[in-house]
Amino acid sequence: TAMRLLVIGGGFGGASAASFARRTYPEVQVTLVEPQPRFVTCPYGNLLLGGERQIGQITHSYDGLRARGVEVIHDRAAGIDAPTKRVRLAGGAVLAYDRLILSPGIAIRWGAIEGYDEAAAQQMPHAWIPADGSQTLLLRRQLEAMPDGGVVGFAIPGNPFRCPPGPYERISMVAHYLKRHKPRSKILALDAKEGFSKQGLFQDGWRALYGDMIEWVPGNRDGRVVKVDVAERVLETEFGTRHKVDVANVIPPQSAASIAAASGLVNDTGWVPVNTRTFEARAAAGVHVIGDANIPGPMPKSGYVANTTAKQAVAAAVALHRGQTPPEPVYFNTCYSHVGENYGISVVGIFRPNADGTAIAEVPNSGGVSPRGDLPEQRRLEAIHADSWYDSITRSMFG
Ligand code: FAD
């Protein structure tokens, strides 16, 4: 009988896995479980905040996967029983599988910042898990409603978190919007870290495009936000400084999505340790965990990595089911960021796991970041490459 591949989560990892499985192994029966009727991408959500995209342009249907022969079930996985190879859905159904791909994404660590709970997120959006897009749209509406001369505050977490350059692209895109519509406004970026991805490139771009609009405060200068006061619209840092802002985007500390913890897959970091060649969870045979939920060694938590590792996880799952050796993997990442109009930058990494699947290392002398300097044509081309990347990865997921 046909191998049954069950995929939980229809985002960057899960949709990529389902599509790749159908394209590559037509004999495999693929079922995808995802609660949302449509998928809103985090990537390019920052451009929506900047006024450069509409929500419809970053929303994707599952019809393409259905047309490829994937059975798509809109429900939520409530429990995984790895020994009997069964998944229980919130709606009551029980699905049996031969191999499971789990890509449920992240959860917010509510309460890790004092006062930041689900109710607070309705006033100070995180917009870091798009779900139905409502968080990103809320933040956009708050920016639109803010008077010129207001302060937009950001709280940015320590590592690891979803999309290392994401907060800084968001700062850029908010600055892009403010410069056009509310040029007397300021951005106060409070960061738990002392440095960040593509920092030199971002800060060059900020100075060139936005002058002194953006103030970034690192962790060693009291940038770590530990408390929010929603009623007063205050972000409070480690040493008790209270920053009053007009709009607050709180990007809180994160962990693997709740289904991973509920199924006993996470360790004390809150993320899922995996075999780096097959992505099988250390804690459960036959359960391959990809995307942001796992611990990917030095690889960033990115949609690109979720897509590239999805392919290896599917190939490994099929090989192991057939009693074969999984293929030799290599993992790629490119993270593009838009700093302004016609202004893109990137970081590239190439990674390989070690022989026994216990670690991943960046391939020496590979990858790197865009060159620094006054290079308008380079920036213009990279903005175009970024748009092409978005089109091709979403086609690889949903097409
Ligand atoms: P997701 O894509 O979040 O998918 C998880 C899915 O699982 C969701 O659809 C969810 O509904 C579903 N799910 C959760 N729990 C269950 C359950 N119990 N049962 C069934 N389904 C469940 N990455 C890039 O490569 N390039 C970028 O330019 C980029 N920009 C970004 C910008 C922002 C603002 C942010 C926040 C992120 C960005 N990222 C980018 C990162 C990228 O979005 C993530 O790395 C990627 O989404 C991870 O894929 P995933 O499959 O782990 O999670």
Side-chain angles (χ1 to χ4, degrees), residues 8-13 33-35 39 42-43 46 76-77 103-105 128 162-163 170 259 291-292 301-304 306 336 389:
I8 298 178
F12 273 80
V33 177
E34 163 62 50
F39 186 70
C42 288
N46 291 333
R76 175 173 289 280
S103 194
W128 218 244
R162 160 172 283 182
C163 195
R170 180 170 287 174
I259 181 72
D292 292 353
K301 296 187 183 299
S302 76
Y304 197 120
Y336 292 103
W389 168 79

PDB file of all heavy atoms in Angstrom, residues 8-13 33-35 39 42-43 46 76-77 103-105 128 162-163 170 259 291-292 301-304 306 336 389, ligand 1:
ATOM      1  N   ILE A   8       1.833  18.309   9.294  1.00  0.00           N
ATOM      2  CA  ILE A   8       1.095  19.197  10.196  1.00  0.00           C
ATOM      3  C   ILE A   8       1.676  20.595  10.087  1.00  0.00           C
ATOM      4  O   ILE A   8       2.864  20.798  10.320  1.00  0.00           O
ATOM      5  CB  ILE A   8       1.164  18.704  11.653  1.00  0.00           C
ATOM      6  CG1 ILE A   8       0.510  17.334  11.756  1.00  0.00           C
ATOM      7  CG2 ILE A   8       0.492  19.700  12.593  1.00  0.00           C
ATOM      8  CD1 ILE A   8       0.569  16.760  13.144  1.00  0.00           C
ATOM      9  N   GLY A   9       0.811  21.541   9.727  1.00  0.00           N
ATOM     10  CA  GLY A   9       1.225  22.935   9.551  1.00  0.00           C
ATOM     11  C   GLY A   9       1.405  23.239   8.077  1.00  0.00           C
ATOM     12  O   GLY A   9       2.237  22.636   7.408  1.00  0.00           O
ATOM     13  N   GLY A  10       0.627  24.173   7.570  1.00  0.00           N
ATOM     14  CA  GLY A  10       0.668  24.503   6.144  1.00  0.00           C
ATOM     15  C   GLY A  10       1.355  25.823   5.874  1.00  0.00           C
ATOM     16  O   GLY A  10       0.912  26.611   5.040  1.00  0.00           O
ATOM     17  N   GLY A  11       2.468  26.087   6.576  1.00  0.00           N
ATOM     18  CA  GLY A  11       3.238  27.309   6.349  1.00  0.00           C
ATOM     19  C   GLY A  11       4.475  27.018   5.514  1.00  0.00           C
ATOM     20  O   GLY A  11       4.459  26.139   4.645  1.00  0.00           O
ATOM     21  N   PHE A  12       5.559  27.757   5.799  1.00  0.00           N
ATOM     22  CA  PHE A  12       6.747  27.641   4.953  1.00  0.00           C
ATOM     23  C   PHE A  12       7.297  26.223   4.932  1.00  0.00           C
ATOM     24  O   PHE A  12       7.641  25.701   3.866  1.00  0.00           O
ATOM     25  CB  PHE A  12       7.808  28.667   5.376  1.00  0.00           C
ATOM     26  CG  PHE A  12       7.591  29.973   4.684  1.00  0.00           C
ATOM     27  CD1 PHE A  12       6.623  30.858   5.147  1.00  0.00           C
ATOM     28  CD2 PHE A  12       8.273  30.287   3.531  1.00  0.00           C
ATOM     29  CE1 PHE A  12       6.376  32.046   4.473  1.00  0.00           C
ATOM     30  CE2 PHE A  12       8.028  31.474   2.852  1.00  0.00           C
ATOM     31  CZ  PHE A  12       7.076  32.354   3.330  1.00  0.00           C
ATOM     32  N   GLY A  13       7.409  25.575   6.084  1.00  0.00           N
ATOM     33  CA  GLY A  13       7.932  24.217   6.094  1.00  0.00           C
ATOM     34  C   GLY A  13       6.911  23.218   5.562  1.00  0.00           C
ATOM     35  O   GLY A  13       7.204  22.422   4.661  1.00  0.00           O
ATOM     36  N   VAL A  33      -2.539  19.033   7.403  1.00  0.00           N
ATOM     37  CA  VAL A  33      -3.470  19.556   8.403  1.00  0.00           C
ATOM     38  C   VAL A  33      -3.066  20.981   8.749  1.00  0.00           C
ATOM     39  O   VAL A  33      -1.924  21.227   9.159  1.00  0.00           O
ATOM     40  CB  VAL A  33      -3.456  18.687   9.688  1.00  0.00           C
ATOM     41  CG1 VAL A  33      -4.377  19.282  10.747  1.00  0.00           C
ATOM     42  CG2 VAL A  33      -3.842  17.256   9.362  1.00  0.00           C
ATOM     43  N   GLU A  34      -3.982  21.916   8.570  1.00  0.00           N
ATOM     44  CA  GLU A  34      -3.702  23.335   8.794  1.00  0.00           C
ATOM     45  C   GLU A  34      -5.008  24.028   9.180  1.00  0.00           C
ATOM     46  O   GLU A  34      -5.978  23.954   8.442  1.00  0.00           O
ATOM     47  CB  GLU A  34      -3.114  23.956   7.510  1.00  0.00           C
ATOM     48  CG  GLU A  34      -3.152  25.475   7.436  1.00  0.00           C
ATOM     49  CD  GLU A  34      -2.331  26.166   8.528  1.00  0.00           C
ATOM     50  OE1 GLU A  34      -1.159  25.813   8.720  1.00  0.00           O
ATOM     51  OE2 GLU A  34      -2.885  27.063   9.205  1.00  0.00           O
ATOM     52  N   PRO A  35      -5.037  24.728  10.318  1.00  0.00           N
ATOM     53  CA  PRO A  35      -6.310  25.339  10.741  1.00  0.00           C
ATOM     54  C   PRO A  35      -6.768  26.513   9.879  1.00  0.00           C
ATOM     55  O   PRO A  35      -7.975  26.716   9.717  1.00  0.00           O
ATOM     56  CB  PRO A  35      -6.033  25.802  12.179  1.00  0.00           C
ATOM     57  CG  PRO A  35      -4.551  25.788  12.345  1.00  0.00           C
ATOM     58  CD  PRO A  35      -4.004  24.824  11.349  1.00  0.00           C
ATOM     59  N   PHE A  39      -3.195  31.042   3.818  1.00  0.00           N
ATOM     60  CA  PHE A  39      -1.943  31.326   4.520  1.00  0.00           C
ATOM     61  C   PHE A  39      -1.469  32.739   4.198  1.00  0.00           C
ATOM     62  O   PHE A  39      -1.294  33.089   3.037  1.00  0.00           O
ATOM     63  CB  PHE A  39      -0.866  30.309   4.121  1.00  0.00           C
ATOM     64  CG  PHE A  39       0.408  30.461   4.917  1.00  0.00           C
ATOM     65  CD1 PHE A  39       0.449  30.115   6.268  1.00  0.00           C
ATOM     66  CD2 PHE A  39       1.552  30.971   4.331  1.00  0.00           C
ATOM     67  CE1 PHE A  39       1.620  30.251   7.006  1.00  0.00           C
ATOM     68  CE2 PHE A  39       2.727  31.114   5.063  1.00  0.00           C
ATOM     69  CZ  PHE A  39       2.756  30.760   6.406  1.00  0.00           C
ATOM     70  N   CYS A  42       4.513  35.762   6.658  1.00  0.00           N
ATOM     71  CA  CYS A  42       5.275  36.790   7.397  1.00  0.00           C
ATOM     72  C   CYS A  42       6.157  37.563   6.424  1.00  0.00           C
ATOM     73  O   CYS A  42       6.176  38.800   6.461  1.00  0.00           O
ATOM     74  CB  CYS A  42       6.167  36.154   8.459  1.00  0.00           C
ATOM     75  SG  CYS A  42       5.335  35.475   9.882  1.00  0.00           S
ATOM     76  N   PRO A  43       6.935  36.866   5.562  1.00  0.00           N
ATOM     77  CA  PRO A  43       7.721  37.607   4.588  1.00  0.00           C
ATOM     78  C   PRO A  43       6.817  38.523   3.764  1.00  0.00           C
ATOM     79  O   PRO A  43       5.737  38.133   3.348  1.00  0.00           O
ATOM     80  CB  PRO A  43       8.344  36.504   3.713  1.00  0.00           C
ATOM     81  CG  PRO A  43       8.463  35.335   4.637  1.00  0.00           C
ATOM     82  CD  PRO A  43       7.240  35.429   5.514  1.00  0.00           C
ATOM     83  N   ASN A  46       6.238  43.058   6.253  1.00  0.00           N
ATOM     84  CA  ASN A  46       6.859  44.352   6.556  1.00  0.00           C
ATOM     85  C   ASN A  46       6.606  45.355   5.432  1.00  0.00           C
ATOM     86  O   ASN A  46       6.489  46.556   5.683  1.00  0.00           O
ATOM     87  CB  ASN A  46       8.361  44.184   6.779  1.00  0.00           C
ATOM     88  CG  ASN A  46       8.656  43.435   8.070  1.00  0.00           C
ATOM     89  OD1 ASN A  46       7.856  43.471   9.011  1.00  0.00           O
ATOM     90  ND2 ASN A  46       9.795  42.751   8.116  1.00  0.00           N
ATOM     91  N   ARG A  76      -6.903  21.528  13.511  1.00  0.00           N
ATOM     92  CA  ARG A  76      -5.683  21.708  14.289  1.00  0.00           C
ATOM     93  C   ARG A  76      -5.271  20.376  14.889  1.00  0.00           C
ATOM     94  O   ARG A  76      -6.112  19.658  15.429  1.00  0.00           O
ATOM     95  CB  ARG A  76      -5.979  22.730  15.397  1.00  0.00           C
ATOM     96  CG  ARG A  76      -4.875  22.979  16.389  1.00  0.00           C
ATOM     97  CD  ARG A  76      -5.223  24.119  17.328  1.00  0.00           C
ATOM     98  NE  ARG A  76      -5.193  25.391  16.625  1.00  0.00           N
ATOM     99  CZ  ARG A  76      -4.063  26.059  16.354  1.00  0.00           C
ATOM    100  NH1 ARG A  76      -2.897  25.607  16.760  1.00  0.00           N
ATOM    101  NH2 ARG A  76      -4.109  27.182  15.697  1.00  0.00           N
ATOM    102  N   ALA A  77      -3.996  20.021  14.795  1.00  0.00           N
ATOM    103  CA  ALA A  77      -3.522  18.803  15.459  1.00  0.00           C
ATOM    104  C   ALA A  77      -3.518  19.051  16.966  1.00  0.00           C
ATOM    105  O   ALA A  77      -2.986  20.062  17.427  1.00  0.00           O
ATOM    106  CB  ALA A  77      -2.119  18.451  14.964  1.00  0.00           C
ATOM    107  N   SER A 103       5.626  20.968  11.067  1.00  0.00           N
ATOM    108  CA  SER A 103       6.188  22.317  10.878  1.00  0.00           C
ATOM    109  C   SER A 103       5.213  23.352  11.409  1.00  0.00           C
ATOM    110  O   SER A 103       4.611  24.125  10.657  1.00  0.00           O
ATOM    111  CB  SER A 103       6.491  22.564   9.398  1.00  0.00           C
ATOM    112  OG  SER A 103       7.317  23.720   9.266  1.00  0.00           O
ATOM    113  N   PRO A 104       5.022  23.377  12.743  1.00  0.00           N
ATOM    114  CA  PRO A 104       3.958  24.207  13.314  1.00  0.00           C
ATOM    115  C   PRO A 104       4.383  25.643  13.610  1.00  0.00           C
ATOM    116  O   PRO A 104       3.571  26.442  14.086  1.00  0.00           O
ATOM    117  CB  PRO A 104       3.624  23.478  14.616  1.00  0.00           C
ATOM    118  CG  PRO A 104       4.953  22.937  15.057  1.00  0.00           C
ATOM    119  CD  PRO A 104       5.713  22.607  13.783  1.00  0.00           C
ATOM    120  N   GLY A 105       5.653  25.973  13.363  1.00  0.00           N
ATOM    121  CA  GLY A 105       6.094  27.353  13.612  1.00  0.00           C
ATOM    122  C   GLY A 105       6.317  27.632  15.089  1.00  0.00           C
ATOM    123  O   GLY A 105       6.677  26.734  15.860  1.00  0.00           O
ATOM    124  N   TRP A 128       4.018  38.910  14.646  1.00  0.00           N
ATOM    125  CA  TRP A 128       5.150  37.994  14.359  1.00  0.00           C
ATOM    126  C   TRP A 128       4.668  36.602  13.983  1.00  0.00           C
ATOM    127  O   TRP A 128       5.440  35.751  13.570  1.00  0.00           O
ATOM    128  CB  TRP A 128       6.105  37.954  15.567  1.00  0.00           C
ATOM    129  CG  TRP A 128       7.534  37.882  15.140  1.00  0.00           C
ATOM    130  CD1 TRP A 128       8.416  36.860  15.377  1.00  0.00           C
ATOM    131  CD2 TRP A 128       8.275  38.857  14.388  1.00  0.00           C
ATOM    132  NE1 TRP A 128       9.635  37.142  14.811  1.00  0.00           N
ATOM    133  CE2 TRP A 128       9.578  38.366  14.200  1.00  0.00           C
ATOM    134  CE3 TRP A 128       7.946  40.114  13.839  1.00  0.00           C
ATOM    135  CZ2 TRP A 128      10.559  39.069  13.501  1.00  0.00           C
ATOM    136  CZ3 TRP A 128       8.916  40.806  13.156  1.00  0.00           C
ATOM    137  CH2 TRP A 128      10.207  40.278  12.993  1.00  0.00           C
ATOM    138  N   ARG A 162      12.421  33.943  15.473  1.00  0.00           N
ATOM    139  CA  ARG A 162      12.017  33.850  14.061  1.00  0.00           C
ATOM    140  C   ARG A 162      12.580  35.038  13.285  1.00  0.00           C
ATOM    141  O   ARG A 162      12.334  36.168  13.663  1.00  0.00           O
ATOM    142  CB  ARG A 162      10.491  33.813  13.994  1.00  0.00           C
ATOM    143  CG  ARG A 162       9.903  34.192  12.650  1.00  0.00           C
ATOM    144  CD  ARG A 162       8.402  33.946  12.596  1.00  0.00           C
ATOM    145  NE  ARG A 162       8.128  32.528  12.430  1.00  0.00           N
ATOM    146  CZ  ARG A 162       6.919  32.008  12.302  1.00  0.00           C
ATOM    147  NH1 ARG A 162       5.863  32.784  12.325  1.00  0.00           N
ATOM    148  NH2 ARG A 162       6.768  30.702  12.163  1.00  0.00           N
ATOM    149  N   CYS A 163      13.317  34.744  12.216  1.00  0.00           N
ATOM    150  CA  CYS A 163      13.777  35.742  11.242  1.00  0.00           C
ATOM    151  C   CYS A 163      14.717  36.810  11.825  1.00  0.00           C
ATOM    152  O   CYS A 163      14.284  37.933  12.103  1.00  0.00           O
ATOM    153  CB  CYS A 163      12.593  36.416  10.561  1.00  0.00           C
ATOM    154  SG  CYS A 163      13.104  37.311   9.069  1.00  0.00           S
ATOM    155  N   ARG A 170      11.584  45.515   9.384  1.00  0.00           N
ATOM    156  CA  ARG A 170      10.331  46.157   9.789  1.00  0.00           C
ATOM    157  C   ARG A 170      10.573  47.617  10.176  1.00  0.00           C
ATOM    158  O   ARG A 170       9.816  48.500   9.781  1.00  0.00           O
ATOM    159  CB  ARG A 170       9.675  45.387  10.942  1.00  0.00           C
ATOM    160  CG  ARG A 170       8.374  46.039  11.364  1.00  0.00           C
ATOM    161  CD  ARG A 170       7.589  45.185  12.313  1.00  0.00           C
ATOM    162  NE  ARG A 170       6.990  44.033  11.647  1.00  0.00           N
ATOM    163  CZ  ARG A 170       6.345  43.070  12.294  1.00  0.00           C
ATOM    164  NH1 ARG A 170       6.226  43.123  13.614  1.00  0.00           N
ATOM    165  NH2 ARG A 170       5.811  42.056  11.635  1.00  0.00           N
ATOM    166  N   ILE A 259       1.980  22.598  19.990  1.00  0.00           N
ATOM    167  CA  ILE A 259       1.834  21.161  19.696  1.00  0.00           C
ATOM    168  C   ILE A 259       3.159  20.417  19.928  1.00  0.00           C
ATOM    169  O   ILE A 259       3.163  19.248  20.336  1.00  0.00           O
ATOM    170  CB  ILE A 259       1.310  20.931  18.248  1.00  0.00           C
ATOM    171  CG1 ILE A 259       1.117  19.446  17.924  1.00  0.00           C
ATOM    172  CG2 ILE A 259       2.222  21.544  17.194  1.00  0.00           C
ATOM    173  CD1 ILE A 259      -0.027  18.795  18.587  1.00  0.00           C
ATOM    174  N   GLY A 291      11.346  23.677   9.998  1.00  0.00           N
ATOM    175  CA  GLY A 291      10.913  25.062  10.192  1.00  0.00           C
ATOM    176  C   GLY A 291      11.406  25.628  11.505  1.00  0.00           C
ATOM    177  O   GLY A 291      12.329  25.110  12.133  1.00  0.00           O
ATOM    178  N   ASP A 292      10.768  26.703  11.921  1.00  0.00           N
ATOM    179  CA  ASP A 292      11.254  27.454  13.087  1.00  0.00           C
ATOM    180  C   ASP A 292      11.208  26.654  14.386  1.00  0.00           C
ATOM    181  O   ASP A 292      11.881  27.016  15.348  1.00  0.00           O
ATOM    182  CB  ASP A 292      10.395  28.712  13.279  1.00  0.00           C
ATOM    183  CG  ASP A 292      10.591  29.736  12.169  1.00  0.00           C
ATOM    184  OD1 ASP A 292      11.474  29.537  11.319  1.00  0.00           O
ATOM    185  OD2 ASP A 292       9.848  30.729  12.171  1.00  0.00           O
ATOM    186  N   LYS A 301      16.246  30.921  11.705  1.00  0.00           N
ATOM    187  CA  LYS A 301      14.840  30.531  11.590  1.00  0.00           C
ATOM    188  C   LYS A 301      14.236  31.372  10.473  1.00  0.00           C
ATOM    189  O   LYS A 301      13.757  32.483  10.705  1.00  0.00           O
ATOM    190  CB  LYS A 301      14.114  30.768  12.907  1.00  0.00           C
ATOM    191  CG  LYS A 301      14.641  29.893  14.037  1.00  0.00           C
ATOM    192  CD  LYS A 301      13.792  30.012  15.281  1.00  0.00           C
ATOM    193  CE  LYS A 301      14.389  29.184  16.414  1.00  0.00           C
ATOM    194  NZ  LYS A 301      14.478  27.736  16.101  1.00  0.00           N
ATOM    195  N   SER A 302      14.297  30.833   9.254  1.00  0.00           N
ATOM    196  CA  SER A 302      13.799  31.588   8.100  1.00  0.00           C
ATOM    197  C   SER A 302      12.891  30.714   7.254  1.00  0.00           C
ATOM    198  O   SER A 302      12.946  29.483   7.307  1.00  0.00           O
ATOM    199  CB  SER A 302      14.971  32.080   7.241  1.00  0.00           C
ATOM    200  OG  SER A 302      15.515  31.022   6.479  1.00  0.00           O
ATOM    201  N   GLY A 303      12.064  31.376   6.443  1.00  0.00           N
ATOM    202  CA  GLY A 303      11.217  30.662   5.506  1.00  0.00           C
ATOM    203  C   GLY A 303      12.050  29.900   4.488  1.00  0.00           C
ATOM    204  O   GLY A 303      11.692  28.800   4.075  1.00  0.00           O
ATOM    205  N   TYR A 304      13.171  30.499   4.112  1.00  0.00           N
ATOM    206  CA  TYR A 304      14.065  29.848   3.144  1.00  0.00           C
ATOM    207  C   TYR A 304      14.587  28.535   3.717  1.00  0.00           C
ATOM    208  O   TYR A 304      14.572  27.488   3.054  1.00  0.00           O
ATOM    209  CB  TYR A 304      15.210  30.808   2.812  1.00  0.00           C
ATOM    210  CG  TYR A 304      15.982  30.464   1.564  1.00  0.00           C
ATOM    211  CD1 TYR A 304      16.042  31.361   0.510  1.00  0.00           C
ATOM    212  CD2 TYR A 304      16.666  29.254   1.436  1.00  0.00           C
ATOM    213  CE1 TYR A 304      16.759  31.068  -0.648  1.00  0.00           C
ATOM    214  CE2 TYR A 304      17.377  28.952   0.288  1.00  0.00           C
ATOM    215  CZ  TYR A 304      17.424  29.860  -0.742  1.00  0.00           C
ATOM    216  OH  TYR A 304      18.127  29.563  -1.877  1.00  0.00           O
ATOM    217  N   ALA A 306      13.229  26.801   6.138  1.00  0.00           N
ATOM    218  CA  ALA A 306      12.095  25.878   6.284  1.00  0.00           C
ATOM    219  C   ALA A 306      11.851  25.147   4.962  1.00  0.00           C
ATOM    220  O   ALA A 306      11.598  23.941   4.928  1.00  0.00           O
ATOM    221  CB  ALA A 306      10.844  26.644   6.720  1.00  0.00           C
ATOM    222  N   TYR A 336      16.750  38.101   2.276  1.00  0.00           N
ATOM    223  CA  TYR A 336      16.715  39.454   1.716  1.00  0.00           C
ATOM    224  C   TYR A 336      15.992  40.367   2.694  1.00  0.00           C
ATOM    225  O   TYR A 336      15.066  39.937   3.380  1.00  0.00           O
ATOM    226  CB  TYR A 336      15.935  39.461   0.401  1.00  0.00           C
ATOM    227  CG  TYR A 336      16.611  38.730  -0.727  1.00  0.00           C
ATOM    228  CD1 TYR A 336      16.188  37.469  -1.110  1.00  0.00           C
ATOM    229  CD2 TYR A 336      17.672  39.316  -1.404  1.00  0.00           C
ATOM    230  CE1 TYR A 336      16.805  36.799  -2.161  1.00  0.00           C
ATOM    231  CE2 TYR A 336      18.290  38.653  -2.454  1.00  0.00           C
ATOM    232  CZ  TYR A 336      17.855  37.396  -2.821  1.00  0.00           C
ATOM    233  OH  TYR A 336      18.460  36.749  -3.850  1.00  0.00           O
ATOM    234  N   TRP A 389      12.498  36.211  -5.356  1.00  0.00           N
ATOM    235  CA  TRP A 389      12.561  35.155  -4.341  1.00  0.00           C
ATOM    236  C   TRP A 389      11.172  34.889  -3.767  1.00  0.00           C
ATOM    237  O   TRP A 389      10.754  33.736  -3.644  1.00  0.00           O
ATOM    238  CB  TRP A 389      13.530  35.540  -3.202  1.00  0.00           C
ATOM    239  CG  TRP A 389      13.386  34.609  -2.027  1.00  0.00           C
ATOM    240  CD1 TRP A 389      13.914  33.358  -1.914  1.00  0.00           C
ATOM    241  CD2 TRP A 389      12.595  34.830  -0.850  1.00  0.00           C
ATOM    242  NE1 TRP A 389      13.504  32.782  -0.735  1.00  0.00           N
ATOM    243  CE2 TRP A 389      12.701  33.654  -0.068  1.00  0.00           C
ATOM    244  CE3 TRP A 389      11.812  35.884  -0.387  1.00  0.00           C
ATOM    245  CZ2 TRP A 389      12.050  33.521   1.160  1.00  0.00           C
ATOM    246  CZ3 TRP A 389      11.168  35.749   0.849  1.00  0.00           C
ATOM    247  CH2 TRP A 389      11.293  34.579   1.600  1.00  0.00           C
TER     248      TRP A 389
HETATM  249  P1  FAD B   1       4.965  28.982   9.654  1.00  0.00           P
HETATM  250  O1  FAD B   1       5.300  29.441   8.300  1.00  0.00           O
HETATM  251  O2  FAD B   1       4.508  29.976  10.673  1.00  0.00           O
HETATM  252  O3  FAD B   1       3.849  27.867   9.499  1.00  0.00           O
HETATM  253  C1  FAD B   1       3.335  27.183  10.614  1.00  0.00           C
HETATM  254  C2  FAD B   1       1.923  26.734  10.294  1.00  0.00           C
HETATM  255  O4  FAD B   1       1.538  25.716  11.213  1.00  0.00           O
HETATM  256  C3  FAD B   1       0.906  27.857  10.426  1.00  0.00           C
HETATM  257  O5  FAD B   1       0.168  27.971   9.235  1.00  0.00           O
HETATM  258  C4  FAD B   1       0.035  27.413  11.603  1.00  0.00           C
HETATM  259  O6  FAD B   1      -1.322  27.791  11.454  1.00  0.00           O
HETATM  260  C5  FAD B   1       0.201  25.908  11.582  1.00  0.00           C
HETATM  261  N1  FAD B   1       0.001  25.258  12.883  1.00  0.00           N
HETATM  262  C6  FAD B   1       0.440  25.634  14.101  1.00  0.00           C
HETATM  263  N2  FAD B   1       0.041  24.767  15.040  1.00  0.00           N
HETATM  264  C7  FAD B   1      -0.657  23.791  14.401  1.00  0.00           C
HETATM  265  C8  FAD B   1      -1.337  22.619  14.829  1.00  0.00           C
HETATM  266  N3  FAD B   1      -1.383  22.270  16.116  1.00  0.00           N
HETATM  267  N4  FAD B   1      -1.946  21.864  13.892  1.00  0.00           N
HETATM  268  C9  FAD B   1      -1.920  22.216  12.570  1.00  0.00           C
HETATM  269  N5  FAD B   1      -1.300  23.319  12.122  1.00  0.00           N
HETATM  270  C10 FAD B   1      -0.684  24.094  13.032  1.00  0.00           C
HETATM  271  N6  FAD B   1      11.925  34.272   6.174  1.00  0.00           N
HETATM  272  C11 FAD B   1      12.602  34.340   4.990  1.00  0.00           C
HETATM  273  O7  FAD B   1      13.177  33.344   4.554  1.00  0.00           O
HETATM  274  N7  FAD B   1      12.661  35.503   4.288  1.00  0.00           N
HETATM  275  C12 FAD B   1      12.042  36.639   4.702  1.00  0.00           C
HETATM  276  O8  FAD B   1      12.115  37.669   4.030  1.00  0.00           O
HETATM  277  C13 FAD B   1      11.336  36.597   5.937  1.00  0.00           C
HETATM  278  N8  FAD B   1      10.704  37.700   6.400  1.00  0.00           N
HETATM  279  C14 FAD B   1      10.024  37.642   7.585  1.00  0.00           C
HETATM  280  C15 FAD B   1       9.411  38.793   8.058  1.00  0.00           C
HETATM  281  C16 FAD B   1       8.726  38.778   9.271  1.00  0.00           C
HETATM  282  C17 FAD B   1       8.065  40.028   9.772  1.00  0.00           C
HETATM  283  C18 FAD B   1       8.653  37.570  10.012  1.00  0.00           C
HETATM  284  C19 FAD B   1       7.897  37.526  11.312  1.00  0.00           C
HETATM  285  C20 FAD B   1       9.257  36.422   9.538  1.00  0.00           C
HETATM  286  C21 FAD B   1       9.952  36.437   8.333  1.00  0.00           C
HETATM  287  N9  FAD B   1      10.590  35.295   7.841  1.00  0.00           N
HETATM  288  C22 FAD B   1      11.298  35.362   6.658  1.00  0.00           C
HETATM  289  C23 FAD B   1      10.606  34.036   8.630  1.00  0.00           C
HETATM  290  C24 FAD B   1       9.541  33.030   8.164  1.00  0.00           C
HETATM  291  O9  FAD B   1       8.263  33.613   8.215  1.00  0.00           O
HETATM  292  C25 FAD B   1       9.571  31.805   9.074  1.00  0.00           C
HETATM  293  O10 FAD B   1      10.884  31.369   9.259  1.00  0.00           O
HETATM  294  C26 FAD B   1       8.736  30.675   8.469  1.00  0.00           C
HETATM  295  O11 FAD B   1       7.384  31.081   8.424  1.00  0.00           O
HETATM  296  C27 FAD B   1       8.896  29.378   9.256  1.00  0.00           C
HETATM  297  O12 FAD B   1       8.110  28.370   8.682  1.00  0.00           O
HETATM  298  P2  FAD B   1       7.341  27.330   9.627  1.00  0.00           P
HETATM  299  O13 FAD B   1       6.744  26.315   8.719  1.00  0.00           O
HETATM  300  O14 FAD B   1       8.216  26.892  10.727  1.00  0.00           O
HETATM  301  O15 FAD B   1       6.193  28.215  10.323  1.00  0.00           O
END
